[in-house]
Amino acid sequence: MEGLHRPFNIPLCQLVWVCKFIVSLWKDEQLTCMPSEINYRFFKSHLKDLHHKMKSEKKIEGVIQKDNADLIYERIKKLKIKELKELISKVLLSRKEKVDRKIYSAYKNTSYYITLAKKLDLINERYYPSERAKSLARHKTTFFYLDSFQKDLIFRILVEKDKDMLIPLIISLPFEQNEKAPRIYLKYIEKCCDVTFFKYITKSQTSNYDKVRLSWIKQLGAVSKRGYLLKKYEWLKNEEAFAEHNENERKFLKLIVRNEEKMNKAFKQFERSYHTLVSEGKHDALFVNLYDIMSLMHCSYNTLNKIIVQYYEQKKEEKIVLFTNLVQSIDKRRRFYVKNQVPVLKVKII
């Protein structure tokens, strides 16, 4: 599914809120209001719920904060739908006052809740609730929590609608080693699934998609602390999409993990050699000759060139890695090449 990178998509209890509200609008198979009014009616209803049911200290990502909910509800509680529509139209055009900006943000929040319910086919374009929506709405649970039935049903819906990304992510979790690095399952999707979408969007946006999906997995209690699928959700292993990915992805990720362990070992040796040479005074303004590092590491030219290329790409966001080709005296030795075949001879790590 696209458009999941916004924090509004994180809380899964929103699906129950939307379903309960939509179901309440239908009487004898007839919608009791104009479809064009639904977003406004849900906005007002949801703000009322938060005003009455949310505790001051409670903060849930993707949910309107208590103080904002109280402020907005006091502003809109006496407005009729026509007046509320006029107010929303006004703040969508211009947001000079603080309360207007808060109304704008909160209205976006609740609109995205309805949009996600539509993406998951819980309601259709006519706002008619599916049987699954009615099932979610019927279960009486506390406002901010899902019961086991709702969790299982929502997980099944997410797997159906987002299986191409969600299933590979779940399979990959036991293999994850570095939370700061891009999710390892993306390498599998790009290399083995002929999907190039994530090559062309920013890393920050990719991580935001992952943040939403990982939050869903956590809210549903789908995996253990070590990342393995819990027994109550083992029905997923019988799904065709899971079987398609499981064996191939596990083989691919085992190879990736082995290669990364080998690479990280080489990186540590590279850094250790660099700092040893610096401490021995064998540097020029902290720039160390790569041939000196190569000698200390007891490796070949090709091996070190591969290491510095990978090291720069992996570490450039957490360290300052500088290269230079300037030397104090003539050095005719072959240069190393990094960053689009730029010739270098020395490195500085900060």
Side-chain angles (χ1 to χ4, degrees):
M1 289 192 296
E2 295 183 11
L4 296 180
H5 54 285
R6 299 174 179 88
F8 310 128
N9 293 304
I10 286 179
L12 288 173
C13 47
Q14 65 177 281
L15 298 174
V16 177
W17 299 339
V18 172
C19 290
K20 284 181 180 293
F21 178 76
I22 295 296
V23 168
S24 73
L25 296 179
W26 287 82
K27 304 294 181 185
D28 300 323
E29 296 295 306
Q30 295 293 319
L31 189 59
T32 57
C33 69
M34 297 290 291
S36 60
E37 296 177 356
I38 288 179
N39 277 32
Y40 303 102
R41 288 181 179 275
F42 177 65
F43 173 67
K44 187 175 182 179
S45 172
H46 186 61
L47 266 293
K48 181 180 178 181
D49 284 336
L50 293 180
H51 174 69
H52 290 296
K53 298 176 181 180
M54 196 175 198
K55 294 180 179 179
S56 298
E57 70 278 4
K58 196 174 191 71
K59 289 187 178 180
I60 305 172
E61 189 166 10
V63 176
I64 303 161
Q65 292 185 14
K66 169 67 173 173
D67 54 349
N68 291 339
D70 292 343
L71 178 68
I72 297 167
Y73 184 64
E74 285 300 317
R75 175 75 175 82
I76 68 170
K77 66 180 181 180
K78 295 181 180 179
L79 297 181
K80 295 179 180 179
I81 290 300
K82 183 179 179 181
E83 295 170 324
L84 181 59
K85 289 174 72 172
E86 290 173 353
L87 173 63
I88 298 295
S89 297
K90 176 186 170 185
V91 299
L92 289 176
L93 291 172
S94 177
R95 296 172 291 282
K96 295 180 181 179
E97 301 296 328
K98 183 179 179 180
V99 66
D100 290 340
R101 292 192 290 272
K102 291 184 182 298
I103 290 171
Y104 171 77
S105 177
Y107 183 72
K108 275 179 58 179
N109 231 46
T110 56
S111 296
Y112 275 111
Y113 291 172
I114 292 176
T115 299
L116 183 59
K118 285 183 176 180
K119 285 182 178 180
L120 297 176
D121 287 338
L122 288 167
I123 54 177
N124 64 18
E125 290 303 314
R126 294 177 50 250
Y127 295 94
Y128 189 79
S130 68
E131 289 304 313
R132 284 174 161 178
K134 293 174 185 177
S135 294
L136 288 175
R138 277 196 297 267
H139 271 251
K140 294 182 179 180
T141 56
T142 53
F143 190 69
F144 293 103
Y145 298 96
L146 302 171
D147 66 17
S148 58
F149 169 83
Q150 290 169 331
K151 286 180 179 180
D152 186 79
L153 180 53
I154 289 172
F155 192 31
R156 290 177 186 274
I157 294 169
L158 293 176
V159 167
E160 286 177 14
K161 299 299 179 183
D162 195 40
K163 60 179 179 288
D164 292 337
M165 302 302 294
L166 188 59
I167 287 178
L169 173 58
I170 290 170
I171 292 171
S172 76
L173 292 178
F175 296 90
E176 289 290 351
Q177 294 182 315
N178 183 1
E179 291 186 1
K180 293 182 180 179
R183 289 285 156 181
I184 194 171
Y185 81 105
L186 295 176
K187 295 179 181 179
Y188 163 73
I189 287 174
E190 287 184 7
K191 297 288 185 181
C192 304
C193 302
D194 196 28
V195 175
T196 57
F197 174 67
F198 285 95
K199 290 181 181 179
Y200 306 110
I201 65 174
T202 64
K203 185 183 289 186
S204 62
Q205 194 173 1
T206 305
S207 66
N208 287 337
Y209 273 87
D210 291 338
K211 184 178 180 181
V212 171
R213 291 189 175 101
L214 287 167
S215 178
W216 288 351
I217 292 168
K218 184 177 180 180
Q219 290 173 67
L220 296 171
V223 301
S224 67
K225 289 182 179 179
R226 296 178 60 193
Y228 292 98
L229 195 66
L230 292 185
K231 190 173 183 179
K232 62 183 177 180
Y233 291 125
E234 284 196 343
W235 53 260
L236 179 60
K237 294 180 180 180
N238 297 321
E239 295 292 314
E240 184 179 346
F242 189 93
E244 287 175 1
H245 288 292
N246 190 36
E247 186 176 352
N248 291 336
E249 184 175 357
R250 288 175 64 83
K251 285 181 181 178
F252 178 84
L253 295 183
K254 283 179 182 178
L255 180 61
I256 289 289
V257 168
R258 283 198 298 269
N259 289 340
E260 287 191 352
E261 287 174 348
K262 186 177 178 181
M263 181 179 66
N264 289 332
K265 185 178 179 180
F267 287 172
K268 288 178 181 178
Q269 189 180 5
F270 175 71
E271 289 179 346
R272 190 162 54 244
S273 299
Y274 170 83
H275 290 299
T276 297
L277 291 165
V278 168
S279 66
E280 292 176 354
K282 296 179 180 179
H283 64 91
D284 178 16
L286 298 180
F287 278 95
V288 173
N289 195 297
L290 288 165
Y291 276 97
D292 291 338
I293 292 177
M294 188 176 82
S295 177
L296 206 57
M297 291 180 65
H298 304 290
C299 65
S300 68
Y301 167 90
N302 288 337
T303 297
L304 183 59
N305 207 122
K306 184 177 180 181
I307 289 171
I308 63 173
V309 168
Q310 292 177 327
Y311 184 85
Y312 175 75
E313 289 301 320
Q314 292 285 330
K315 301 291 186 178
K316 63 185 178 181
E317 292 187 6
E318 59 182 272
K319 296 177 183 285
I320 299 174
V321 185
L322 304 173
F323 295 97
T324 182
N325 195 29
L326 299 176
V327 291
Q328 292 179 332
S329 58
I330 296 174
D331 191 329
K332 294 184 179 180
R333 288 179 291 186
R334 183 165 49 155
R335 269 37 179 176
F336 297 86
Y337 292 89
V338 296
K339 295 185 284 186
N340 297 321
Q341 296 300 302
V342 176
V344 298
L345 193 60
K346 292 183 177 182
V347 64
K348 180 177 181 179
I349 304 171
I350 303 174

